[in-house]
Amino acid sequence: RAMKELNKYLLIIVFATLWIGLNAQSEKKLVRKGNKQFEKKEYSEAEIEYRKAVDKNPTYDKGKFNLAGSMYKQDNYEESGNLYNEAAELSKDSQLKADSYYNMGNSLLSAKKYKESMEAYKNALRLNPDNQDAKYNYEYARQKMIQQQQQQQNQDQNKDQDKDKDKNKDQNKDQNKDQNKDKKDQNKDKKQDRKSTR
């Protein structure tokens, strides 16, 4: 009887192992299918296959990485950046992690989120200090951020100048009203003076 129980448990373990193995293979098959479509520049079709792989295994870092790439190619930089971040957090492979951060930086740079992209490039460089592209893109993002800040300062100064102009206009209007009132009063006084001299 104990032998039957043991055989029963062993059989369950064997089936569970096979199921997990088949499930993992199907994720990889889906990613390979997506890769073929990606190579043909069929990015939305590739996205579908990558999403299926990620749905089967949400912790599959390569599936998330490739899904992020297909989203980037479709100009969906926000989702692309989020997926690259997830891939980096999930991955145990330092090269995939570094590539994820680098590509996350590219997504954020394309979305004009310069400060965030710089942070992603820093993370990529911590893992792969020799990545010349990450160094270049970091510096490019830094320059773009400086330009953006200068433009913002100029806009703020222009707004302040416009407010000052409006304030000056209002003051001039008030002065003109006062001057016109004074002239009217003077003219009224002159008319009264004329009447009295007649």
Side-chain angles (χ1 to χ4, degrees), residues 113 150 166 191:
K113 294 182 177 182
Q150 288 172 344
D166 289 344
K191 283 182 183 179

Side-chain angles (χ1 to χ4, degrees), residues 23 33 46 49 64 71-72 79 82 101 118 134 178 188:
N23 203 26
K33 189 175 177 184
E49 297 306 317
K64 292 224 182 203
M71 299 312 296
Y72 182 86
E79 186 173 2
N82 290 335
Y101 282 126
M118 289 169 59
D178 290 343
K188 194 175 187 183

Side-chain angles (χ1 to χ4, degrees), residues 3-15:
M3 195 62 147
K4 281 186 178 184
E5 290 284 323
L6 185 62
N7 284 339
K8 184 178 171 183
Y9 287 117
L10 284 174
L11 195 56
I12 290 172
I13 291 171
V14 168
F15 280 125

Side-chain angles (χ1 to χ4, degrees), residues 1 3 22 38 73 83-84 97 111 126 147-148 176:
R1 189 172 191 177
M3 195 62 147
L22 289 174
F38 191 92
K73 289 293 190 176
L83 288 163
Y84 278 127
K97 197 181 226 22
R126 284 183 188 114
Q147 287 175 359
Q148 189 180 52
N176 287 340

Side-chain angles (χ1 to χ4, degrees), residues 96-125:
L96 182 65
K97 197 181 226 22
D99 290 344
S100 296
Y101 282 126
Y102 172 75
N103 288 335
M104 179 182 165
N106 290 341
S107 296
L108 293 165
L109 184 64
S110 295
K112 296 183 175 151
K113 294 182 177 182
Y114 303 121
K115 187 175 182 180
E116 294 90 339
S117 71
M118 289 169 59
E119 214 34 61
Y121 292 130
K122 278 186 203 174
N123 287 332
L125 287 165

Side-chain angles (χ1 to χ4, degrees), residues 160-198:
D160 290 343
Q161 287 174 354
D162 288 345
K163 283 181 185 177
D164 289 344
K165 283 180 184 178
D166 289 344
K167 192 175 183 181
N168 287 338
K169 282 181 183 178
D170 289 343
Q171 286 175 348
N172 287 340
K173 282 181 184 178
D174 290 343
Q175 284 177 348
N176 287 340
K177 282 182 185 177
D178 290 343
Q179 287 174 354
N180 287 338
K181 186 177 180 191
D182 288 346
K183 281 183 183 179
K184 283 182 183 178
D185 289 344
Q186 286 175 355
N187 286 339
K188 194 175 187 183
D189 288 343
K190 282 182 183 177
K191 283 182 183 179
Q192 286 176 353
D193 286 346
R194 282 186 193 155
K195 283 183 182 176
S196 62
T197 56
R198 280 189 187 175

Side-chain angles (χ1 to χ4, degrees), residues 25-74:
Q25 284 179 342
S26 65
E27 295 161 10
K28 290 177 184 175
K29 275 186 180 179
L30 290 167
V31 167
R32 281 193 297 271
K33 189 175 177 184
N35 290 345
K36 286 178 185 174
Q37 291 170 321
F38 191 92
E39 288 169 10
K40 294 179 195 173
K41 298 182 180 183
E42 297 171 350
Y43 304 119
S44 58
E45 290 82 1
E47 174 194 349
I48 292 167
E49 297 306 317
Y50 297 142
R51 283 196 189 279
K52 287 179 189 176
V54 169
D55 286 345
K56 280 190 175 285
N57 183 358
T59 62
Y60 188 39
D61 55 354
K62 290 178 184 171
K64 292 224 182 203
F65 182 87
N66 290 3
L67 175 58
S70 70
M71 299 312 296
Y72 182 86
K73 289 293 190 176
Q74 295 176 74

